Amino acid sequence: MTKPTTTERLATRDTLLGEGLPIRRALPNKARRTIGAWCFLDHAGPMTMKSHTEFRVGPHPHIGLQTFSWMIAGEILHRDSLGYVQVLRPGQVNLMTAGSGISHSEEAMPITEPMQLHLAQLWIALPDSKRHLPPAFQHYPELPVFNQGGFNITLLTGELAGRVSPVHVHTPLFGADLNCAAQADATLTLNTDFEYGVLVLEGEVTVDGESLASGTLLYLGTGRTQLRIQASSHARVLLLGGEPLNEPVLLWWNFVARDAAEITQATDDWNNSNRFGEVKGYEGERLVAPSVEGLHLRK
Ligand code: MN
């Protein structure tokens, strides 16, 4: 007997990032705040940028999380308060561990002709035992890539089909990008202890028999041994998973914490102290933290 499994379709919402880049936000979601430790998911593009000024996010702080940037098309530049300056290119991941506090900026690389931009930016909530560690930054120029059933699969985090991603995370976590140019049909082995979700980035796919349009997030719950994903033409999805978080996390602006006092302190420190260091070389203003007044109205 297999126990019944969940499928829950979740709406994503369109918003603007930084100085006006249109993005689709899938997490946090009204109906679901996390999938494993994945607690934030923005999808930008695919789009054509006429000017690199369309993607600029000035220096801003983070605590309690790892930022995970997955580049599909285009090039962006990361700078942080540890002194890292790193170009992120297609097929690569930047992983920034905020821990007790870091600040960074992100901007498109200068272009002289229109450039395709396509990326996913995610946050991973750090467990309580790791969230006060010193900050760190890692660039992963290469990840495991293989073909299964016509899908080109890039293993972002965790393990699949005997491969292991080098990306260093702190809780049992899974992430993969699956894309196909034409018809594809793959059945992936899942970890029954993990909950999973699929976000369709491009095209249409059928997951567990459900037809999903681009922009749909399908939550899949725990208890699955495998998952069938089918496409009849060009499509791209993100499959995310992990052990359900057993601690409540509080997200506010760019902070992941446990209570309002920590957020209030971090906000005050960003606006009034040097706790988050300095991002050198970014030509533009640092972001100002919003007022925490509304925070106390939220649970
Ligand atoms: Mn950031």
Side-chain angles (χ1 to χ4, degrees):
M1 272 286 284
T2 49
K3 70 177 178 179
T5 50
T6 305
T7 52
E8 188 183 349
R9 268 168 199 268
L10 304 173
T12 57
R13 65 191 179 87
D14 295 331
T15 182
L16 296 174
L17 181 76
E19 296 183 15
L21 183 78
I23 55 109
R24 174 172 286 146
R25 184 155 297 160
L27 287 177
N29 194 291
K30 265 189 189 145
R32 176 146 297 277
R33 311 211 53 91
T34 52
I35 297 172
W38 298 107
C39 63
F40 185 91
L41 168 53
D42 272 358
H43 175 218
M47 60 180 281
T48 305
M49 284 200 316
K50 291 195 180 72
S51 161
H52 62 275
T53 58
E54 290 173 51
F55 183 10
R56 284 170 58 77
V57 183
H60 59 278
H62 287 288
I63 59 168
L65 57 85
Q66 293 179 296
T67 62
F68 180 101
S69 304
W70 163 234
M71 204 75 201
I72 300 164
E75 293 186 351
I76 60 171
L77 181 67
H78 160 96
R79 301 175 193 269
D80 66 41
S81 53
L82 297 176
Y84 288 97
V85 178
Q86 179 66 56
V87 180
L88 182 63
R89 299 191 166 90
Q92 303 181 339
V93 163
N94 275 355
L95 181 76
M96 185 180 78
T97 305
S100 58
I102 194 169
S103 56
H104 74 144
S105 65
E106 291 157 298
E107 60 197 298
M109 290 293 282
I111 50 175
T112 52
E113 49 190 62
M115 178 181 80
Q116 283 293 304
L117 182 76
H118 193 189
L119 77 153
Q121 293 206 298
L122 301 101
W123 296 354
I124 303 162
L126 288 168
D128 198 45
S129 61
K130 300 288 174 74
R131 67 195 187 93
H132 301 294
L133 290 178
F137 174 81
Q138 282 153 301
H139 173 68
Y140 295 96
E142 236 176 285
L143 297 162
V145 179
F146 54 100
N147 190 285
Q148 193 172 327
F151 282 105
N152 193 45
I153 301 178
T154 304
L155 185 56
L156 302 175
T157 56
E159 300 178 19
L160 183 67
R163 277 86 170 177
V164 181
S165 165
V167 173
H168 185 64
V169 295
H170 298 277
T171 48
L173 198 69
F174 178 82
D177 176 299
L178 288 80
N179 72 85
C180 59
Q183 193 272 336
D185 185 347
T187 298
L188 308 181
T189 301
L190 302 189
N191 182 329
T192 55
D193 295 334
F194 284 12
E195 57 183 347
Y196 289 89
V198 174
L199 177 65
V200 185
L201 304 184
E202 288 180 274
E204 281 183 22
V205 296
T206 300
V207 176
D208 194 32
E210 292 211 32
S211 177
L212 306 176
S214 178
T216 309
L217 176 64
L218 186 72
Y219 177 69
L220 295 159
T222 58
R224 288 171 190 270
T225 54
Q226 55 182 36
L227 187 69
R228 186 173 181 190
I229 304 182
Q230 301 159 276
S232 55
S233 57
H234 171 69
R236 184 185 289 269
V237 303
L238 277 184
L239 174 63
L240 302 175
E243 266 183 14
L245 273 185
N246 57 10
E247 31 187 325
V249 294
L250 181 62
L251 266 73
W252 177 261
W253 195 42
N254 292 301
F255 304 132
V256 173
R258 296 297 183 274
D259 58 44
E262 283 182 291
I263 302 266
T264 303
Q265 185 67 53
T267 297
D268 191 50
D269 288 346
W270 171 249
N271 288 338
N272 303 301
S273 87
N274 193 37
R275 170 178 170 186
F276 295 96
E278 191 192 340
V279 179
K280 293 200 171 81
Y282 180 82
E283 290 180 20
E285 296 298 309
R286 75 208 286 275
L287 307 188
V288 175
S291 162
V292 294
E293 256 166 59
L295 173 63
H296 301 283
L297 304 172
R298 287 180 18 174
K299 262 280 184 208

